[in-house]
Amino acid sequence: MTSTPAPPSRLIPLLRQIGGTVVTLFVTFLGLLMVTFFISNVIPVDPVLSILGERATEAQMEEARERLGLNEPLWKQFGIYVGNTLQGDLGTSIRTREPVLQEVSQRFPATLELATLATILGVLLGVPAGVIAATKPGSFFDQSTRLIGLMGYSMPVFWLGLMGLLLFYGQLGWVGGPGRLDAGYQMSLDFELTQYTGMILLDTALNNRWDMFANAFSHIILPAGILAYISMAYISRMTRSFMMNELGQEYITTARVKGMPERRVIWVHALKNVMVPLITVIALSYAYLLEGAVLTETIFAWPGLGSYITDALMVADMPAVLGGTVVVGIAYIGLNMLSDLLYRLVDPRARV
Amino acid sequence: MLLEPTLRRVGAVAIAALMLGTAPAALMAETPADTLVLAGAIDDIVSLDPHEAYEFSGLDVVNNTYDGLVEINPATLQTEPGLAESWSVAEDGLTYTFKMKAGVTFSSGNPVTAEAAAYSLQRAVKLNKTPAFILNQFGWTAETVDAMITGAGDTLTIKVDKPYAPTFLYNCLTAGVASIVDADVVKANEVVTDGVSDLGNEYLKTHSAGTGAFTLRSFKPNEGYVLEMRPGYWRGDAKMAKIFMTHVPEAATERLQLEKGDIDVARTLTPIDVAGMAGNADVAIQEDVGGQIYYLSFNQKNENYKNAKFLDAMRYAVDYQGMADTFMKGAAVVHQNFLPSGYLGALDDNPYSLDIEKAKALVAESGITDPTIKLSVRNAADRMDVAQSIQNTFGQAGIKVELSVGEGAEQLKEYRARQHDGTLQTWGPDYPDPNTNSSTFAENPDNSDAANNTGYLAWRNAYDPGEMTAESKAAVLEQDPAKRVEMYAALQKKFRETAPFIVMFQQARQTGVRANVKGFYTGGAVDSTAYWLVTK
């Protein structure tokens, strides 16, 4: 977003800006659809064969190709696909024959819940850690934050997940195991709980089922903690670097010279300016987690979007893969837009 | 049975290896006392409509929520009367009369009648989903089935188009597709679109309407299902009030849950997990076999593979036992015949073993110089291990093997188009009768390219089995069960000695159960899991 010189009327540029955003969004979205669609068409897998399996006769395969519209020219298939998607129809899963939108919307809350909790934890830990590290560069705290961050960055997430399970669930018994609830609760979930959001922590709280809430919390805390660790590693590194940059600015020196308490200089003056680029960092990290953190979901038997897309890929269920990818793409675009909006809230220069 | 779940779950094996020898968990969670909690990979489920389900996990549910006229005893794996009390076949072998068991009810409370049984078989044929071909074999089509299968009072009359071996019909009637459904409930839930009824298919995908020991309480694709016991089951009430299956794709995770006691049964463990749990008194490992067969086959468009000496050389150049004792341990056992152990007429002797010198001599006798095989292999860890062992031992015998590694579906396409040279494949039987594998391996009615008989494995390898086609067709018509067994034995023997196929292994299954769990039967090679006998 570029800042424009003070206009005579504020309405027209605002409309122009909104219009520009909408066009940008639409073009981005179309690009997303095009890329996902064509990638899914160049991979050398015959979806018909993977659905019908070895026993299929040629006639059955031809019938399926016709039914799935795979005999149409590619550009026509793409046109139909875009048209349907814009109407909210993500197609039908080849394998389950259920609408993809319905399946994705059943899976998305589980991922959303996990990613949101992980991001909150990541921000709560990562931002202060980065700020403190920046104010005492080279200190023991700075070095250990860097080491911990480096580990979070470089360790494969499935390894962390399995080790975390082994230690905190297997050995220490501090947390619940894989899945979103203990078997006893999980079985009765659909019958005893009104599911408003599909997010178990919220739903159990709204239903006043605090026993179930505690159980769900014991299950989500480990996968969320592991994702938070990765997100924290990134956020703290970026915060530190932004903060270092900011602390070298003249206005900070001025504030210090004026005799302002150091705490206020760092946590109010500097942090406020750091927040601007940090918002993008946090939004991107959140979007990354929304992708489903595929391996984490697999290891923790978490029925989210990541495992949905993986399962679909295994059987070349392309409508499901595409649908899942489009939802992730929309989340990316949405979060980008949100961070743009937040920019404007925290950075007066970006306001119209 | 299209998907083989365990084979796809090899992820993070290295990590599981790291977990070997870790002490059992200090804190023990408990599963509810009246509930059997299982973990496994159930993402293969497409539908729970018994006349559509055709995957391992789906058939497990069907087996516990429905029954057929003829059933398989979970403990002995022999056929026994199901919803039919007794039956007889007419002299001409074309008409069967089934007398229905009295006093059996569906979960709705409706009585099981011969009409309901006739409706069920007719529905399965008319619905025409993947497993319908099992019933089509008897000449039942959407047009003919109403006249060929009729029910009145307690008598069900079934006509077939040829005098088949009676055991062929009985075995096919044990398959999930021959389950008896509650006609009233199904009819009440039909959805008519553009004048065409779905025959209750949409409803039965997620509801049950059968006579089984359990009813389906809930099902969420790729998440899990809950079965609820119903009192008054004709084979005796289930001991567990509920069955809860959760979808846990990662074997190492399953192992951890089993050791913690958070689940009672782990269904998709890898051999590494099993080895890691040795010595844990809280866990027991049940071993049995599945129906899947591992085989090598060679395309006879390449003349080398018509050379009997060369084929023999290859049979002696496979390290069957070596593989079964090392990386295939727990996943497969040596088996060299096309009928899986447990099937009627299956041969269990394995005459071939690794003999490099003999193989070398046979290659020399064959007159083929510097033989080279391009072996197509799926890019899965277990397949690659087998292929590399073969490459090694074939190499020692003077047969060069080049591996062509690719994605499963693509390799299948190549195989079905007869474009491979050699290939490493697996095959799972379709229904619990020997004809299922006999017809696919040993029959090929027309070997021409134009015939496009992709359903016959012999055709895919451009192999004309000669008289075996007729012999296999005769075996399915043989009225004398003992003679039928002999016919399949002779076929398997001839096949393993002459065909361009090398059957190597039969799938083995290792199920981890908590030590207090008793009576868990997986159904072996011929049937699905039975939950109603489980206690804990």
Coordinates of all heavy atoms in Angstrom, one line a residue, chain A residues 20-34 333:
Chain A
G20 N -9.2 -1.4 -6.2 CA -7.9 -2.0 -6.5 C -7.7 -3.3 -5.7 O -7.2 -4.3 -6.3
T21 N -8.0 -3.2 -4.5 CA -7.8 -4.4 -3.6 C -8.7 -5.6 -4.2 O -8.2 -6.7 -4.3 CB -8.2 -4.1 -2.2 OG1 -7.6 -2.9 -1.8 CG2 -7.9 -5.3 -1.3
V22 N -9.9 -5.3 -4.5 CA -10.8 -6.3 -5.0 C -10.3 -6.9 -6.3 O -10.2 -8.1 -6.5 CB -12.2 -5.8 -5.3 CG1 -13.1 -6.8 -6.0 CG2 -12.9 -5.4 -3.9
V23 N -9.8 -6.0 -7.2 CA -9.2 -6.6 -8.5 C -8.0 -7.4 -8.2 O -7.9 -8.5 -8.7 CB -8.9 -5.4 -9.4 CG1 -8.1 -5.9 -10.6 CG2 -10.1 -4.7 -9.9
T24 N -7.1 -6.9 -7.3 CA -5.9 -7.7 -7.0 C -6.3 -9.1 -6.4 O -5.8 -10.1 -6.8 CB -5.1 -6.9 -5.9 OG1 -5.0 -5.6 -6.3 CG2 -3.7 -7.6 -5.7
L25 N -7.3 -9.0 -5.5 CA -7.8 -10.3 -4.9 C -8.3 -11.3 -6.0 O -7.9 -12.4 -6.0 CB -8.9 -10.0 -3.9 CG -8.5 -9.6 -2.5 CD1 -9.7 -9.4 -1.7 CD2 -7.5 -10.6 -1.9
F26 N -9.1 -10.7 -6.9 CA -9.7 -11.6 -7.9 C -8.6 -12.2 -8.8 O -8.6 -13.4 -9.1 CB -10.7 -10.8 -8.7 CG -11.4 -11.6 -9.7 CD1 -12.4 -12.5 -9.3 CD2 -11.1 -11.6 -11.0 CE1 -13.1 -13.3 -10.2 CE2 -11.8 -12.4 -12.0 CZ -12.8 -13.2 -11.5
V27 N -7.7 -11.3 -9.2 CA -6.6 -11.8 -10.1 C -5.8 -12.9 -9.4 O -5.4 -13.9 -9.9 CB -5.7 -10.7 -10.6 CG1 -4.5 -11.2 -11.3 CG2 -6.5 -9.8 -11.5
T28 N -5.4 -12.6 -8.1 CA -4.7 -13.6 -7.3 C -5.4 -14.9 -7.2 O -4.8 -16.0 -7.4 CB -4.4 -13.0 -5.9 OG1 -4.1 -11.7 -6.0 CG2 -3.4 -13.8 -5.2
F29 N -6.7 -14.8 -7.0 CA -7.5 -16.0 -6.8 C -7.6 -16.8 -8.1 O -7.4 -18.0 -8.1 CB -8.9 -15.5 -6.4 CG -9.8 -16.7 -6.0 CD1 -9.5 -17.5 -5.0 CD2 -11.0 -16.9 -6.8 CE1 -10.4 -18.6 -4.7 CE2 -11.9 -17.9 -6.5 CZ -11.5 -18.8 -5.4
L30 N -7.7 -16.0 -9.2 CA -7.8 -16.7 -10.5 C -6.4 -17.4 -10.8 O -6.4 -18.6 -11.3 CB -8.1 -15.7 -11.6 CG -8.8 -16.2 -12.8 CD1 -10.2 -16.7 -12.4 CD2 -9.0 -15.1 -13.8
G31 N -5.4 -16.7 -10.4 CA -4.0 -17.3 -10.6 C -3.9 -18.6 -9.8 O -3.4 -19.6 -10.2
L32 N -4.4 -18.5 -8.6 CA -4.3 -19.6 -7.7 C -5.1 -20.8 -8.3 O -4.6 -21.9 -8.3 CB -5.0 -19.3 -6.3 CG -5.2 -20.4 -5.3 CD1 -3.9 -20.8 -4.7 CD2 -6.2 -20.0 -4.3
L33 N -6.3 -20.6 -8.8 CA -7.1 -21.6 -9.4 C -6.4 -22.2 -10.6 O -6.3 -23.4 -10.8 CB -8.4 -21.1 -9.8 CG -9.4 -20.7 -8.7 CD1 -10.8 -20.4 -9.4 CD2 -9.7 -21.9 -7.8
M34 N -5.8 -21.3 -11.4 CA -5.1 -21.8 -12.6 C -3.9 -22.7 -12.2 O -3.8 -23.8 -12.8 CB -4.6 -20.6 -13.4 CG -4.3 -21.0 -14.8 SD -4.1 -19.8 -16.0 CE -4.4 -18.3 -15.7
I333 N -4.8 -15.5 1.2 CA -5.2 -14.2 0.6 C -5.9 -13.4 1.7 O -5.6 -12.2 1.9 CB -6.1 -14.4 -0.6 CG1 -5.3 -15.1 -1.7 CG2 -6.7 -13.1 -1.1 CD1 -6.2 -15.5 -2.9

